[in-house]
Amino acid sequence: MDERERDPRPIGIFDSGVGGLTVLAELARRFPGESFIYLGDTARVPYGAKSARTVERYTLQAASFLLNKGVKAMVAACNTASALGLAALRAAEPHLPVLGVIQPGCRAAVATTRSHRVGVIGTRSTVASGAYPDALALLEPRIRAVALACPLFVPLAEEGWLDHPATRLIVAESLAPLRHEGVDALILGCTHYPLLAPIIAEVMGEGVALVDSASAVADELEQRFIDVILPAPEGRPQRMDYLVTDIPDRFVEMARRILPGLPVHGVEMVDL
Amino acid sequence: MDERERDPRPIGIFDSGVGGLTVLAELARRFPGESFIYLGDTARVPYGAKSARTVERYTLQAASFLLNKGVKAMVAACNTASALGLAALRAAEPHLPVLGVIQPGCRAAVATTRSHRVGVIGTRSTVASGAYPDALALLEPRIRAVALACPLFVPLAEEGWLDHPATRLIVAESLAPLRHEGVDALILGCTHYPLLAPIIAEVMGEGVALVDSASAVADELEQRFIDVILPAPEGRPQRMDYLVTDIPDRFVEMARRILPGLPVHGVEMVDL
């Protein structure tokens, strides 16, 4: 492709807060020629117990804000926004390449499972939406999906109780309904959950593969939007901008804890 | 006082979500002649990790909404809003009788303590504001206040893990810094915390009195705004209206769990 044809505009990544940085880190690593604008709606986090209507409204506001910033494509890194807000966003912006985290996660799970029994854990709203079982059934009708809300996992991860006996008790009790379902793949359907992956893996046992959507999203972005991304470095430094809706301090502190390798600075506070 | 002089307008109660219903229940019991409008900002709950600027903005929006509904006085039942938003609200509405939960709670603690060492637990933002130690020092300069953020207590209470070994572990570890401070009174500086009172009392031991602000708020309302309240029933039924910013379903479900005696119906969704 000729250099002049490439679209230099950044890719927008939207999340309810800090969790989507796991997706940003993977995309930045995979597409070093791309620039990114990350928007975290930290004033209104968490989305996981909010209604479909509210999450839809917040998603449209975020997308409209990122479009005004000149993004060429958008990734909804938040599972709840992907489950509840994406249809409205696609209807409102039919020409914008938009990717959520649910389909990529489901594709990875389908490629992993042999028993055709797939577990999904997520926030209350993500699970209530039925988005994961629906997408799994579309991809592979033989799959039996068992979805379970784990509402305490986000606060435990956010507060850094990653390796504590109380966390172990809560994870074990929360996942108990999945233990006798014969699942051999478990989708971590919330960007915070990978932080608890060691305990989740221990509780589920060796026969269950954990599916994290970050690398699946990168695969899907490459396959579906190859025309908009810049696959090779261009000699210019990769640019990353961070926008948040509440004051940046805690966002920066949590980002450093979650992703020590990701340079998070120059975070700007914005009003959607 | 002549019947005609009484002000029949309702009292507004504002909270970030469902926790302030503990305050509403006490006020409704104490002032059966009054009507109330409860506004829960359930779309943007929790406030406890948001910045001062954001909480201030949300508090002003809620107050302006309640004023348009015709309230004659306002109670900020949310500790975080009381700590961070009340000064701005009083500046914006100098003629509106406004009450927070912090001063009443402090007054009750001062009346309770003998050691002059008072513990305060609350959300991260409430504790960071310093509002409780400041108010305690104003009331009684000899008091030494020890404030501690307990950010996991709200999700544990909201999710109903009220009597679980994991909750016991988290409460014990969270309160450990207070155990050797010699406090004999502990202010529950968040409207959700009374739900965990049995475990908190057990962890703190017999020598520590728990101070819940609901009845202290009713005392203060009676003392300071006696001219605006209707102390005796008037033959007309007490009216309670409920407004929330997200869909009402989960609010109603949680209200029934938290306060089985409070009739919560006809909940209306509004946009601040």
Side-chain angles (χ1 to χ4, degrees), chain A residues 42-46 49-51 53-54 57-58 124 151-152 155-156 159 161 164-166 169-170 173-174 245-247 250 269 271, chain B residues 42-46 49-51 53-54 57-58 124 151-152 155-156 159 161 164-166 169-170 173-174 245-247 250 269 271:
Chain A
T42 49
R44 303 188 294 198
V45 71
K50 302 193 200 310
S51 71
R53 194 166 129 188
T54 295
R57 187 157 54 95
Y58 291 176
R124 204 185 289 284
L152 283 177
L156 287 168
E159 296 303 330
W161 293 60
H164 190 277
L169 279 174
I170 290 172
E173 186 153 328
S174 301
T245 55
D246 200 346
I247 51 165
R250 204 166 128 68
M269 180 165 162
D271 197 352
Chain B
T42 48
R44 303 188 293 199
V45 71
K50 300 192 201 310
S51 72
R53 193 166 129 188
T54 295
R57 188 157 54 94
Y58 291 177
R124 204 184 288 284
L152 283 176
L156 287 168
E159 296 303 330
W161 293 61
H164 191 276
L169 278 174
I170 290 172
E173 187 155 325
S174 301
T245 56
D246 201 346
I247 50 165
R250 206 168 125 69
M269 180 165 163
D271 196 352

Side-chain angles (χ1 to χ4, degrees), chain B residues 138-149:
Chain B
L138 263 178
L139 288 170
E140 169 54 86
R142 285 175 297 173
I143 293 233
R144 173 147 179 266
V146 189
L148 188 68

